Amino acid sequence: MKERIFICTHSQLPRGDANSNYIFHMALSLVEEGFEVIAIGRSKSSNTSIEKVEGVLCVNIARSKRLPAKIEGHIFFGSQMCRELRNYHIRKDDYLILYGGYVSLFHSIANKMNWLEKGHITACVVEWPTKQQFRWKHIDPNYLLWKYVFNRMIPKWKKVVAISENLCSHFTECDCDTFLLPPMINAQRKISGERKSFEKQVFIYAGADTQKDAIRNMLFAVEKLSDQDRSCFDFHITSLTEEKARKLLGEKQYILDEYEECLHIHGWMEYEDLINLYYVSDYLLLARETNQFTRSNFPSKVPEMMNYGIIPVCSRVGDYTDSYLHHLVDSIIFEGASSDACADAIRTAISIPEEKRICMSQKAIENARDHFDYKQWGKKLSEFILD
């Protein structure tokens, strides 16, 4: 009988957001090592779904939608998860990986699954936000609940899988065993599409995280470019709506109208449409301030897009620029996240000769497949979980 690992999360599986991608590739890495993996997430609809995808059984618990998602999650999600685990006749020799910040999940597992073998529960952490990221700062209920989970519940089981060195260091100081697991990709997935056009350099930003990413400054940078620069520059932003973009720009929202020939706000895109945009993109533009939040995170969009030959143009912050990327070899790394710094980085990118750009694109693919392929991580991860 195969050993079973249950991954418990608040994200929809197998796709939905960056969390979904991280969890699904984690699951694939464990399937590769011969485990039976059941990943239980949270549906965005009122229907429970069950499907087996590439060897991973993905279960999404229905949402009632009678309450806001976060309130329902903090109050009820833990009980729903325990009920689902019982449906699969969870045994004391099974393993659990807890991913997410709902206090009800950690409390319910602690109280209702305390008969599991010692060392069979691992927490997984991918963020370390501060009070500044919350609406009401230090008195925000979501911040207080998250802080309780982060400081009290996650260290309880003494085993933590973390996405960054910064998080690993913190939980090591909390007397936990830690395992560093960056975002992963499927290097075996066939990447093919239309040949990229070299008439304009196509930049992409795929995300809408105004907490981590300096989206305003990336947009302000467009205005700082010369007419000649903009004539060979296209910038596509996905997941961010035009309404939100205008709100972010404030009195400078005229940028969206004045430079509409090179600035394209797509909003949410179907997965296939997004992948088609990847095929014709040259660069990922990603500006981030340096703070606890960004140092502790590792954007999955970096290895994901590198796998498609998209060259990261990004601020120096976190593990990906410290440990994986190489300036002017497979990426362009710049200091800070100001609009001037973004504009300078864009100018550097569009000035790179075609032959050099093709070489950098190939190096980005090689880097992604050498360091982030899920098949390289399964053995080490499973040894940590079983230890």
Side-chain angles (χ1 to χ4, degrees):
M1 183 181 295
K2 289 184 177 181
E3 289 182 289
R4 296 196 304 178
I5 297 178
F6 291 85
I7 304 176
C8 308
T9 176
H10 62 278
S11 294
Q12 183 168 283
L13 301 166
R15 292 195 186 100
D17 54 25
N19 293 321
S20 308
N21 292 337
Y22 185 82
I23 295 160
F24 186 61
H25 284 108
M26 179 196 296
L28 288 176
S29 74
L30 294 169
V31 168
E32 185 73 12
E33 292 302 310
F35 292 92
E36 180 182 353
V37 181
I38 301 165
I40 306 176
R42 192 181 190 207
S43 176
K44 293 180 180 179
S45 74
S46 54
N47 298 314
T48 295
S49 66
I50 303 174
E51 61 175 330
K52 197 159 193 176
V53 184
E54 299 180 50
V56 180
L57 186 64
C58 298
V59 181
N60 290 295
I61 301 170
R63 269 201 60 206
S64 70
K65 294 193 174 182
R66 289 194 296 266
L67 291 170
K70 287 185 178 179
I71 294 176
E72 182 184 339
H74 281 305
I75 297 174
F76 300 114
F77 185 62
S79 296
Q80 293 170 331
M81 181 63 70
C82 287
R83 190 180 309 121
E84 201 64 42
L85 289 170
R86 285 193 291 269
N87 288 341
Y88 288 90
H89 306 291
I90 186 167
R91 308 183 299 262
K92 69 176 184 177
D93 59 340
D94 288 330
Y95 293 84
L96 293 186
I97 299 174
L98 307 182
Y99 182 110
Y102 287 142
V103 67
S104 66
L105 173 62
F106 289 86
H107 261 300
S108 294
I109 296 298
N111 294 328
K112 299 178 181 179
M113 299 288 163
N114 55 7
W115 43 266
L116 285 168
E117 296 278 2
K118 185 178 180 181
H120 280 223
I121 298 177
T122 301
C124 182
V125 190
V126 298
E127 289 188 334
W128 189 354
T130 63
K131 60 188 176 184
Q132 282 72 31
Q133 272 79 51
F134 293 84
R135 184 175 180 182
W136 291 301
K137 304 299 187 286
H138 67 283
I139 60 170
D140 191 294
N142 286 309
Y143 170 67
L144 295 172
L145 288 169
W146 174 86
K147 188 177 178 181
Y148 175 74
V149 169
F150 190 82
N151 292 330
R152 298 287 297 279
M153 299 304 298
I154 289 174
K156 176 182 176 66
W157 290 287
K158 300 297 182 183
K159 292 176 72 174
V160 176
V161 171
I163 200 171
S164 67
E165 289 279 6
N166 202 42
L167 284 167
C168 279
S169 296
H170 170 76
F171 285 105
T172 298
E173 291 176 2
C174 295
D175 198 29
C176 294
D177 293 327
T178 60
F179 181 83
L180 177 64
L181 185 69
M184 291 171 285
I185 61 164
N186 183 351
Q188 282 66 47
R189 185 165 289 149
K190 186 178 179 182
I191 305 298
S192 63
E194 301 175 22
R195 185 180 182 277
K196 296 179 182 181
S197 167
F198 296 111
E199 294 176 6
K200 283 191 170 188
Q201 303 309 300
V202 180
F203 289 69
I204 183 172
Y205 168 77
D209 197 325
T210 55
Q211 297 285 1
K212 300 189 197 83
D213 305 335
I215 302 173
R216 290 175 75 241
N217 290 346
M218 289 188 263
L219 289 168
F220 289 159
V222 177
E223 186 180 27
K224 294 180 178 291
L225 299 175
S226 68
D227 290 340
Q228 184 177 350
D229 291 335
R230 284 189 291 268
S231 70
C232 53
F233 164 81
D234 261 336
F235 188 21
H236 295 262
I237 298 179
T238 73
S239 299
L240 184 73
T241 64
E242 183 174 335
E243 179 184 3
K244 191 167 184 179
R246 289 187 181 278
K247 187 175 180 181
L248 282 171
L249 288 169
E251 62 183 17
K252 287 200 170 188
Q253 62 181 276
Y254 63 82
I255 289 174
L256 299 182
D257 304 312
E258 191 166 335
Y259 305 116
E260 61 181 357
E261 288 188 4
C262 66
L263 190 54
H264 313 282
I265 309 293
H266 293 277
W268 184 85
M269 297 179 74
E270 293 285 353
Y271 182 72
E272 288 186 6
D273 294 333
L274 180 63
I275 297 304
N276 287 334
L277 182 56
Y278 284 2
Y279 288 142
V280 297
S281 296
D282 299 290
Y283 295 104
L284 158 67
L285 184 59
L286 182 61
R288 288 186 161 192
E289 303 284 355
T290 300
N291 53 50
Q292 177 180 287
F293 201 16
T294 55
R295 286 195 308 271
S296 302
N297 185 248
F298 192 134
S300 62
K301 57 178 78 76
V302 172
E304 178 186 357
M305 292 195 197
M306 290 172 69
N307 194 33
Y308 286 84
I310 300 172
I311 302 162
V313 180
C314 55
S315 304
R316 186 185 302 279
V317 57
D319 292 359
Y320 52 106
T321 54
D322 290 346
S323 304
Y324 296 103
L325 302 184
H326 305 89
H327 181 56
L328 293 180
V329 176
D330 50 30
S331 59
I332 295 169
I333 301 172
F334 58 95
E335 303 298 332
S338 68
S339 56
D340 285 329
C342 290
D344 286 343
I346 292 168
R347 292 187 194 102
T348 299
I350 61 179
S351 69
I352 291 175
E354 178 180 327
E355 185 177 350
K356 170 71 170 176
R357 186 170 59 250
I358 293 171
C359 181
M360 289 178 67
S361 174
Q362 185 58 42
K363 290 293 185 182
I365 293 172
E366 292 171 7
N367 188 331
R369 298 184 177 187
D370 287 346
H371 294 104
F372 303 108
D373 181 21
Y374 75 83
K375 290 189 177 182
Q376 296 185 24
W377 289 93
K379 187 174 188 298
K380 291 177 283 188
L381 175 60
S382 61
E383 287 174 352
F384 175 78
I385 291 170
L386 298 183
D387 185 23

